[in-house]
Amino acid sequence: FWIDCVEEYQLEMVGFVWIGSLSTGFVADQNVSRCVEQIDCAKVGHLSRNRKYQRVTCSAVNTFDRKIEPHVPGVSLVRKSVNTVQVNIGLTCNQACTHCHVASSPARTETMSRAVANRLVDLLKASPGIKVLDITGGAPEMHQEFVHLVKSARQFGIQVIDRCNLTVLSLPGMESLPEFLASNKVKVVASLPCYTKETVDKQRGDDVFEASIHGLRLLNQVGYAQPDSDLELDLVYNPSGAFLPPPQEVLEKQYHDELQTLFGIQFNALLCISNMPIKRFRQDLKKQGKLTEYQQLLENAFNPSTLDNLMCVSQVHIDHNGSLFDCDFNYALNMPIGPSIFNIESFQQLNALQIKTADHCFGCTAGAGSSCGGSLV
């Protein structure tokens, strides 16, 4: 098909991403969610700041699809059966972390309306196959529809996950939040990229580590991760640079030892998640001159054993407007499935659909794999 190929800074303005050098690379059309076949722009004219557009013709098979082709039926991944609905309730957050792939911050105002929340609740009720509602953001607890979604899902017997940044628990007006989470048996998945103050504050902001430890203590006090308690508290580790996470089970033991010894903190499990080369982390890699190196690291570490357990084969992601995506990374890159929650009658209608892929998908298949639930193998 025909596609407009422009320089990187211009591509990003019109919804494209250029991957590679100015002479050779890939064009990712975020509307159709494809990184097209490698092209040589020298054949159609040199790309320069003085020439805004170049028209080229190319095929619609991306590098990731080529890589997985020997391991999956057909050319691309297909969703099996939806059992998890992940919802980004809004982008307002009390932090602005360097690794945040949705670029949340205190300055963001996007949030879910009651109309969208009610439609989501109706779909949960109409979709008996849904076992988990995974609420993320932003800081999901800061958004007005958070309580409504939690209570509604729990009435249907659906497990709720709150992706908590921990520091939100120290904000004025959040004093009752730990008890609310505990009384509704919400599983808390909390971000803590290291057990040392220096590393956490560098990645997430000054004094975030101390506030995070305070938040963990509050959760422990209401019963999370305590002996004979069914209240689950998992922590999330993501690397502080352009490298893959260490083995999850090894790092989990270190976390348990350090947090218990130094702070008396208890938690259930550690989830290791790779950083995706998109949004803020991508820009950071570009500034350091490490973007190409990191992308190659992910591709070289491709592990076909991860494919059956990828989160996109069993979940869908919904943004604050009700648009549907295969995962939160596709949401960050504006790669929608197509319909919104207002165009479907059940989440089961999304079963057996082809999953939209691009080069960032290597982040989920590298090494032991990565997902919102941690390592895959």
Side-chain angles (χ1 to χ4, degrees):
F1 63 93
W2 290 93
I3 190 171
D4 283 329
C5 169
V6 300
E7 197 171 354
E8 181 175 31
Y9 78 101
Q10 294 162 328
L11 283 165
E12 291 176 346
M13 291 173 61
V14 297
F16 293 81
V17 176
W18 177 257
I19 304 171
S21 66
L22 275 182
S23 60
T24 304
F26 298 90
V27 177
D29 180 341
Q30 295 179 357
N31 295 318
V32 297
S33 72
R34 289 296 187 201
C35 285
V36 299
E37 189 172 0
Q38 189 170 23
I39 57 175
D40 188 348
C41 283
K43 294 179 180 179
V44 295
H46 181 64
L47 289 175
S48 71
R49 295 182 184 273
N50 296 323
R51 192 169 186 177
K52 186 175 182 181
Y53 293 100
Q54 282 299 149
R55 178 150 289 196
V56 297
T57 184
C58 42
S59 76
V61 179
N62 64 50
T63 307
F64 183 77
D65 279 351
R66 283 204 198 92
K67 193 75 169 183
I68 68 173
E69 188 173 1
H71 309 286
V72 298
V75 178
S76 294
L77 292 171
V78 173
R79 182 173 294 100
K80 296 175 182 177
S81 180
V82 180
N83 58 41
T84 299
V85 172
Q86 184 177 73
V87 54
N88 188 308
I89 197 170
L91 298 177
T92 305
C93 187
N94 60 313
Q95 296 178 190
C97 302
T98 58
H99 64 281
C100 181
H101 59 273
V102 296
S104 295
S105 76
R108 302 296 294 266
T109 59
E110 299 93 327
T111 191
M112 181 173 287
S113 68
R114 176 53 61 98
V116 174
N118 283 342
R119 181 56 183 163
L120 172 55
V121 170
D122 289 343
L123 284 173
L124 292 174
K125 186 177 181 179
S127 307
I130 302 303
K131 306 302 181 185
V132 178
L133 177 65
D134 185 344
I135 308 178
T136 185
E141 308 88 349
M142 294 177 67
H143 293 265
Q144 60 184 358
E145 298 304 321
F146 177 74
V147 170
H148 175 48
L149 290 180
V150 169
K151 289 184 175 180
S152 298
R154 294 302 294 141
Q155 287 179 354
F156 304 147
I158 295 173
Q159 172 68 67
V160 175
I161 295 175
D162 173 28
R163 295 198 176 266
C164 181
N165 67 16
L166 293 175
T167 62
V168 71
L169 295 164
S170 299
L171 294 180
M174 294 292 177
E175 293 82 4
S176 63
L177 180 57
E179 287 288 354
F180 171 78
L181 297 173
S183 63
N184 285 279
K185 297 188 182 300
V186 174
K187 178 177 180 178
V188 177
V189 177
S191 179
L192 191 70
C194 191
Y195 44 75
T196 65
K197 175 179 172 60
E198 180 181 3
T199 301
V200 171
D201 286 358
K202 180 180 179 181
Q203 187 177 115
R204 304 182 69 198
D206 292 342
D207 302 321
V208 166
F209 181 75
E210 292 181 3
S212 297
I213 293 299
H214 177 66
L216 288 171
R217 285 177 170 148
L218 291 176
L219 292 171
N220 281 172
Q221 287 171 11
V222 296
Y224 276 93
Q226 299 304 298
D228 302 321
S229 172
D230 59 356
L231 298 176
E232 294 182 74
L233 170 61
D234 292 346
L235 302 183
V236 174
Y237 163 87
N238 60 282
S240 59
F243 53 89
L244 294 176
Q248 186 168 277
E249 63 277 8
V250 174
L251 191 59
E252 180 179 300
K253 184 179 185 307
Q254 294 175 0
Y255 264 68
H256 275 298
D257 292 344
E258 294 293 328
L259 291 177
Q260 175 62 42
T261 301
L262 297 176
F263 307 105
I265 297 296
Q266 294 181 318
F267 67 95
N268 294 103
L270 180 72
L271 313 178
C272 288
I273 299 179
S274 298
N275 288 324
M276 293 291 160
I278 61 176
K279 294 292 185 175
R280 286 178 183 159
F281 186 61
R282 179 183 179 84
Q283 294 302 315
D284 190 48
L285 290 172
K286 286 171 64 177
K287 289 178 182 177
Q288 298 178 47
K290 295 181 178 180
L291 177 58
T292 301
E293 177 185 344
Y294 185 66
Q295 183 66 43
Q296 196 62 54
L297 170 68
L298 297 179
E299 295 185 24
N300 291 343
F302 172 75
N303 182 354
S305 299
T306 62
L307 294 174
D308 286 339
N309 298 319
L310 291 174
M311 59 185 177
C312 55
V313 303
S314 61
Q315 79 165 38
V316 292
H317 183 89
I318 302 169
D319 74 358
H320 66 280
N321 288 320
S323 297
L324 291 161
F325 301 82
D326 293 307
C327 68
D328 59 333
F329 304 117
N330 282 10
Y331 157 65
L333 292 173
N334 192 26
M335 294 167 55
I337 292 174
S340 78
I341 60 175
F342 293 97
N343 304 123
I344 61 173
E345 300 303 321
S346 167
F347 286 115
Q348 273 62 58
Q349 288 179 235
L350 305 177
N351 294 346
L353 293 183
Q354 181 173 307
I355 294 166
K356 295 184 176 182
T357 62
D359 282 357
H360 67 282
C361 298
F362 282 108
C364 291
T365 60
S370 178
S371 75
C372 291
S375 298
L376 299 176
V377 295

